[in-house]
Amino acid sequence: MKLNIAYPATGCQKLLKIDDEKILSLFYDKRMGQEVPADRLGDEWKGYILRITGGNDLQGFCMMQGVLSNTRVRLLFKKGMPNYRERRAGVRKRKSVRGCIVDSQLSVLDLVVMKKGEGEIPGLTDTTQPRRLGPKRVGKIRKLFNLSKEDDVRQYVVHRPLPEKEGKKPRSKAPKIQRLVTPARIQRKRKVLALKRQRAEKNKAQAAEYAKLIAQRQREKRQALLSRRRSSNRTSTSSA
């Protein structure tokens, strides 16, 4: 079985191939989300605590949280469920997934370092992997650079340099900032609200006009009925 161990603090991952059942028995019958001490992996792992985040079996079926089984099961998936992307509206699909309990049939087990031990793990905790992409949302850019509302967020976007070409100027890429409040956005919002207000006033005026027309029709109908009754009374008295 392979252990894919990630350390979010440095952004690095390490893949260990372990065939010793004594070491692997540490993870058997544990569920996704449980924390396991990593002392059995070796002396350098002393004090480390790992959390199980998932895994795949030999055929590539992934583990699913909440399925209390250590075997493969077939579930009916619908929109909003994990491990499923709806292709057409309302479509449900029956898929095979593996339960959230670890057993010997897994080929890869995903782990995350929750607590660092005393020693350094080469390739995992001793090096730092820089983030390839910077934040895209306005709030996250402000949080990263500790900006205030008055600062211009557009000046702090992280640019990613592109591979250089011979005889060309160095180029870079930057993300389009999301949720950025600009004068054009404020004007558009005012326009939308004004149109909404106009529609409400128009509907109100039309409803009042319709109610007025209905009242007039009912009044005319009542008057026509009264006139018919009067004429019938006159004919009856004249015949008598």
Side-chain angles (χ1 to χ4, degrees):
M1 186 189 290
K2 295 177 183 176
L3 302 181
N4 187 18
I5 304 171
Y7 187 44
T10 59
C12 296
Q13 292 185 358
K14 191 175 181 69
L15 192 66
L16 303 176
K17 189 172 181 180
I18 298 174
D19 298 323
D20 190 356
E21 285 293 325
K22 287 185 179 179
I23 297 175
L24 294 175
S25 64
L26 173 69
F27 303 101
Y28 290 165
D29 298 328
K30 297 286 192 305
R31 295 184 191 175
M32 286 174 62
Q34 281 189 314
E35 296 182 356
V36 181
D39 299 339
R40 282 197 205 174
L41 297 178
D43 295 335
E44 67 272 15
W45 292 92
K46 189 175 181 181
Y48 280 80
I49 294 178
L50 307 176
R51 189 180 72 192
I52 302 170
T53 57
N56 295 75
D57 63 6
L58 296 166
Q59 286 74 35
F61 293 97
C62 62
M63 296 173 70
M64 182 175 173
Q65 182 68 283
V67 181
L68 300 179
S69 172
N70 60 355
T71 58
R72 201 184 303 163
V73 295
R74 284 178 62 79
L75 301 177
L76 188 63
F77 285 81
K78 64 178 182 179
K79 184 180 179 182
M81 294 179 69
N83 304 327
Y84 176 65
R85 184 163 66 90
E86 190 183 43
R87 308 293 173 142
R88 290 173 59 190
V91 171
R92 298 186 298 169
K93 187 176 181 182
R94 194 171 295 279
K95 290 180 63 178
S96 294
V97 290
R98 181 158 284 278
C100 66
I101 300 174
V102 180
D103 71 339
S104 59
Q105 298 300 314
L106 295 178
S107 64
V108 182
L109 187 65
D110 299 327
L111 305 163
V112 173
V113 176
M114 299 303 295
K115 182 184 175 185
K116 187 182 174 185
E118 301 167 0
E120 296 285 343
I121 307 296
L124 186 67
T125 60
D126 58 348
T127 58
T128 303
Q129 190 76 19
R131 285 182 64 180
R132 180 174 164 272
L133 301 175
K136 189 173 183 179
R137 196 186 299 172
V138 168
K140 294 191 175 181
I141 297 173
R142 285 200 180 107
K143 186 178 178 182
L144 179 65
F145 295 103
N146 198 17
L147 304 177
S148 64
K149 294 282 185 182
E150 290 75 26
D151 295 323
D152 189 6
V153 180
R154 291 172 290 185
Q155 305 299 325
Y156 294 88
V157 181
V158 178
H159 288 257
R160 177 170 61 88
L162 295 174
E164 294 186 7
K165 295 182 180 178
E166 293 183 6
K168 301 260 181 149
K169 291 182 180 179
R171 295 171 59 224
S172 63
K173 258 191 175 183
K176 182 183 176 184
I177 304 174
Q178 301 296 315
R179 303 186 186 179
L180 181 64
V181 180
T182 60
R185 174 76 184 102
I186 295 170
Q187 188 177 4
R188 198 180 308 121
K189 195 171 182 181
R190 282 181 187 154
K191 183 182 177 183
V192 169
L193 289 173
L195 289 172
K196 192 175 179 182
R197 206 178 300 114
Q198 288 174 11
R199 280 199 304 271
E201 290 173 359
K202 182 182 175 184
N203 291 339
K204 193 175 178 181
Q206 286 180 347
E209 188 177 348
Y210 181 71
K212 195 175 178 182
L213 182 64
I214 291 292
Q216 184 182 351
R217 293 262 176 90
Q218 287 179 348
R219 196 162 49 248
E220 291 174 355
K221 190 177 179 182
R222 205 179 300 117
Q223 287 176 357
L225 185 64
L226 286 172
S227 63
R228 279 203 302 272
R229 283 180 181 174
R230 285 170 186 165
S231 63
S232 65
N233 289 338
R234 284 173 190 167
T235 55
S236 61
T237 53
S238 62
S239 63

